[in-house]
Amino acid sequence: ADFDAKKKRKVAEIYQALNSDPIDVAALRRMAISEGGLLTDDIRCKVWPKLLSVNTDDLPPLPGKELRDDSKDYQQVLLDVRRSLRRFPPGMPDDQREVLQEELIDVILHVLKRNPQLHYYQGYHDIVVTFLLVVGDRLATALVEKLSTHHLRDFMEPTMDNTKHILNYLMPIIDQVKPEVHDFMQRAEVGTIFALSWLITWFGHVLSDFRHVVRLYDFFLACHPLMPIYFAAVIVLYREQEVLDCECDMASVHHLLSQIPQDLPYESLISRAGDLFVQFPPSELAKEAAQAERTAASTFKDFELASVQQRPDTVLRQRFRERFRGEERLRGEERTKSILTKPRTNRFVKLAVMGLTVALGAAALAVVKSALEWAPKFELQIFP
């Protein structure tokens, strides 16, 4: 009864935020982060577009089949989609699944066609299929396009440089909380490649229960673009004892970490990731990273400022003018070294002051508010 009452109260708060003028995007983000996330797919259909600042009254037309003739990516997308059987609900009739797979191909090709600066990567379809199953093909096309030009942008560069750079945040986070785990992994020379599929699919490829996948998508859509790497870190930290009990060699540790448990305590891990983001913001971990201003995190402030301008069922179009600094890019090895050798000062002071179990509501609010402060300042122009 208590659970039902809490759920009803949360549903009411979500609809109150949706009906506010302007829409209370900050409240929607808190609802998406807090326990249980957005609760149902019906609610996600209404809230996900608001979190991504997508106007549901002005959706692009469904793509035509001619896209397949013109796309250089069609064959690879086709192969990946054919391998995606386990991403569909068990027991779904074959004919229904085949229709969805065709829609999945079309959504991906449509986004790539409209955004030639984006490059397809294996694993992208794992993200797209999640949106397709929750909101349907037409809305999925609009949401995935916005997501691809913002949160996922770094994974869709011509090279993996930015993706590797984001992975470089993993070890410093672990180091701040459990230096013994960090040092063990360093001695094992395991690197961070075990977390690559987690990061670039938002865990969609590695989690078998669709409910857990959409719960994480609620969380990630409401947060800073680097939150998935914080969540990856809390998974490693959660398995601390398993890691330390493992043989200290690359093969053993990589095998252990790449086999992600399916029975993770998702709500407590989400809370912990939010806590760590507040305690160790990206700006602290990236001070020595010369490319930090080139990742998707850089435009998050602009993205957020535009999203709060939404009116009920309408959005403002936004354009971002980026000013890239003229600093030379450091080589990847130097960048990694500079992050990994960051002094550990203040870590224990912070942990003592803030604790590891900040109330989720407070952490969620801090994540939403402070993300704006940590992103570099860019000129923002909004056009009605």
Side-chain angles (χ1 to χ4, degrees), residues 19-315:
N19 293 324
S20 298
D21 187 4
I23 289 171
D24 192 346
V25 179
L28 293 177
R29 292 186 187 281
R30 290 196 298 273
M31 295 297 105
I33 293 169
S34 62
E35 185 177 359
L38 295 174
L39 303 173
T40 71
D41 286 352
D42 284 343
I43 292 176
R44 291 183 177 102
C45 287
K46 296 178 175 67
V47 175
W48 282 5
K50 306 310 178 189
L51 298 181
L52 286 172
S53 197
V54 166
N55 185 359
T56 55
D57 290 332
D58 187 26
L59 297 177
L62 291 174
K65 301 298 181 185
E66 69 278 356
L67 279 174
R68 304 185 180 205
D69 300 328
D70 303 332
S71 174
K72 62 181 174 56
D73 298 300
Y74 172 60
Q75 290 302 325
Q76 184 60 58
V77 172
L78 180 64
L79 288 173
D80 290 345
V81 169
R82 282 177 175 169
R83 289 194 291 257
S84 65
L85 297 183
R86 69 180 192 83
R87 291 303 318 279
F88 294 90
M92 175 179 281
D94 288 347
D95 56 348
Q96 185 180 352
R97 173 184 48 76
E98 288 166 4
V99 169
L100 286 169
Q101 286 181 304
E102 293 299 307
E103 292 176 352
L104 177 57
I105 293 171
D106 289 340
V107 171
I108 292 171
L109 295 182
H110 182 70
V111 172
L112 295 174
K113 173 79 170 178
R114 283 169 51 92
N115 300 273
Q117 78 278 15
L118 300 178
H119 297 261
Y120 177 77
Y121 64 88
Q122 287 183 279
Y124 181 67
H125 70 289
D126 284 299
I127 287 183
V128 180
V129 73
T130 303
F131 284 88
L132 178 64
L133 289 170
V134 173
V135 305
D137 56 348
R138 196 164 176 217
L139 182 51
T141 302
L143 297 183
V144 168
E145 181 170 12
K146 179 60 71 73
L147 192 73
S148 301
T149 54
H150 290 84
H151 293 66
L152 305 180
R153 190 184 73 206
D154 300 309
F155 310 145
M156 306 189 78
E157 294 282 323
T159 71
M160 287 189 65
D161 289 350
N162 280 354
T163 302
K164 291 176 183 174
H165 177 64
I166 294 171
L167 282 169
N168 285 344
Y169 282 78
L170 180 65
M171 296 301 287
I173 298 168
I174 294 170
D175 187 31
Q176 292 288 346
V177 183
K178 289 289 182 179
E180 58 270 33
V181 175
H182 167 271
D183 294 347
F184 180 90
M185 293 173 67
Q186 288 288 85
R187 290 198 305 275
E189 299 182 336
V190 69
T192 56
I193 200 69
F194 66 86
L196 177 63
S197 65
W198 306 357
L199 180 67
I200 65 175
T201 69
W202 277 12
F203 297 83
H205 183 72
V206 292
L207 297 181
S208 58
D209 192 325
F210 191 71
R211 293 172 304 168
H212 298 152
V213 175
V214 294
R215 173 65 187 100
L216 286 182
Y217 277 43
D218 291 342
F219 179 46
F220 296 152
L221 286 170
C223 291
H224 193 281
L226 289 179
M227 190 57 81
I229 204 69
Y230 281 79
F231 193 78
V234 300
I235 289 178
V236 176
L237 292 167
Y238 173 74
R239 304 182 71 192
E240 171 190 356
Q241 200 55 53
E242 288 179 84
V243 172
L244 296 178
D245 289 345
C246 189
E247 292 292 326
C248 190
D249 63 74
M250 183 181 69
S252 300
V253 180
H254 177 85
H255 178 74
L256 171 70
L257 290 175
S258 60
Q259 305 297 311
I260 191 169
Q262 296 297 311
D263 59 346
L264 294 168
Y266 291 95
E267 294 299 338
S268 63
L269 293 184
I270 285 171
S271 177
R272 184 83 184 280
D275 294 347
L276 295 186
F277 188 92
V278 172
Q279 294 173 53
F280 311 112
S283 58
E284 288 192 11
L285 303 177
K287 284 177 181 175
E288 303 299 324
Q291 283 192 335
E293 71 273 13
R294 297 196 62 220
T295 63
S298 66
T299 51
F300 188 65
K301 179 171 183 176
D302 291 349
F303 183 70
E304 286 293 88
L305 288 174
S307 73
V308 299
Q309 303 292 328
Q310 297 177 90
R311 299 289 174 178
D313 299 317
T314 62
V315 295

Side-chain angles (χ1 to χ4, degrees), residues 1-16 31 34-44 211:
D2 183 54
F3 173 79
D4 288 341
K6 285 174 62 177
K7 183 176 178 180
K8 286 181 180 177
R9 189 161 57 246
K10 186 170 191 179
V11 169
E13 290 174 356
I14 290 171
Y15 278 99
Q16 181 180 0
M31 295 297 105
S34 62
E35 185 177 359
L38 295 174
L39 303 173
T40 71
D41 286 352
D42 284 343
I43 292 176
R44 291 183 177 102
R211 293 172 304 168

